[in-house]
Amino acid sequence: MASAAQERNYSRCLKGEAACDPLRLNPELRIAVHKLEEDRNFDRCLKGQMTCDPLSLSKDNMAKVQEEARKRNASACMQGTAACNPLRLADDELKRARDAAARRNIQSCLQALTTCDVAVLGKEDLATMAGELRNKNLESCRNGLSTCDPVMLSPAQSAEVTQISARRNLDHCAHFLASCDPSILTSPEMALVSEAYRQRRRTPR
């Protein structure tokens, strides 16, 4: 019975359970359990968990934990999360974090998000953003989206969009879609649509 109880206690100690009684372990098992707990604590510290006990770390493990914490903080700053502590960044890390924040802000402004801060945009950023907005608007107009702003189009782009829109309308009319606008069909296009209608009526169902 005593042996079985000792085995159960040893098992609880290996798992780090509160019911573990280290005084019932022999010296050899106590060393094994202590080593395992040191490894578990080191793993918790590496992950930055609240249950980490830094005082139990060896000098080498403390250095590894601090390096991992530095990397974790640098990553948080690059991503702009609340866990970032800019005071712990090296000069080159701080520069990269600021550049990443500037890029995120430009994307926020391009997407008209509430996180956009126009005040921090420089002249080059504003020019880049204006160019991106023009490109996005051109794609919207090419695809016939409601977000298209024809006022932003250049004369050449406006002519291109008009041609694309005319081809799209002809295709819709030729397939008898509700989005067809017969009022903008040219005479040759109207003839093509009429022929398509006649062919459709001839086709047996």
Side-chain angles (χ1 to χ4, degrees):
M1 292 293 292
S3 178
Q6 288 174 352
E7 285 293 334
R8 285 195 297 272
N9 181 61
Y10 178 51
S11 177
R12 288 193 290 266
C13 292
L14 285 177
K15 296 175 183 176
E17 296 179 358
C20 162
D21 182 359
L23 298 179
R24 296 176 60 189
L25 299 173
N26 63 43
E28 183 180 350
L29 296 181
R30 195 174 298 133
I31 291 173
V33 167
H34 181 70
K35 177 65 171 62
L36 189 60
E37 178 53 33
E38 280 187 336
D39 292 342
R40 275 198 295 261
N41 182 62
F42 177 49
D43 185 62
R44 290 193 295 266
C45 294
L46 278 178
K47 295 175 181 177
Q49 296 178 357
M50 295 294 294
T51 51
C52 161
D53 178 9
L55 298 179
S56 298
L57 296 172
S58 66
K59 185 177 180 180
D60 289 343
N61 284 348
M62 176 63 81
K64 292 176 183 176
V65 166
Q66 290 175 339
E67 176 62 15
E68 194 64 25
R70 186 197 64 76
K71 291 179 181 177
R72 205 161 40 241
N73 183 63
S75 177
C77 293
M78 286 296 292
Q79 296 172 23
T81 67
C84 165
N85 181 356
L87 297 178
R88 294 175 58 191
L89 296 175
D91 291 343
D92 59 328
E93 292 174 334
L94 183 59
K95 182 181 184 305
R96 287 197 297 270
R98 285 173 173 168
D99 290 344
R103 289 192 296 270
R104 279 196 303 275
N105 186 58
I106 291 176
Q107 289 303 313
S108 296
C109 294
L110 287 172
Q111 298 172 34
L113 301 179
T114 55
T115 51
C116 166
D117 185 357
V118 181
V120 301
L121 294 173
K123 290 183 179 179
E124 291 184 1
D125 295 333
L126 289 171
T128 299
M129 192 174 77
E132 288 290 336
L133 289 174
R134 285 194 295 270
N135 290 337
K136 288 180 65 176
N137 182 66
L138 177 58
E139 285 303 309
S140 296
C141 295
R142 283 171 173 165
N143 293 314
L145 302 180
S146 60
T147 52
C148 165
D149 182 0
V151 176
M152 292 179 63
L153 298 173
S154 67
Q157 290 172 339
S158 182
E160 177 193 353
V161 168
T162 299
Q163 292 179 354
I164 293 174
S165 178
R167 289 196 297 270
R168 184 166 49 242
N169 184 64
L170 174 58
D171 181 69
H172 291 178
C173 293
H175 290 86
F176 313 106
L177 301 179
S179 51
C180 163
D181 183 359
S183 66
I184 63 174
L185 292 174
T186 63
S187 296
E189 289 173 342
M190 184 63 78
L192 288 172
V193 172
S194 298
E195 179 59 26
Y197 179 71
R198 285 192 293 271
Q199 290 293 336
R200 185 184 186 190
R201 293 193 60 186
R202 291 177 191 153
T203 303
R205 298 183 180 180

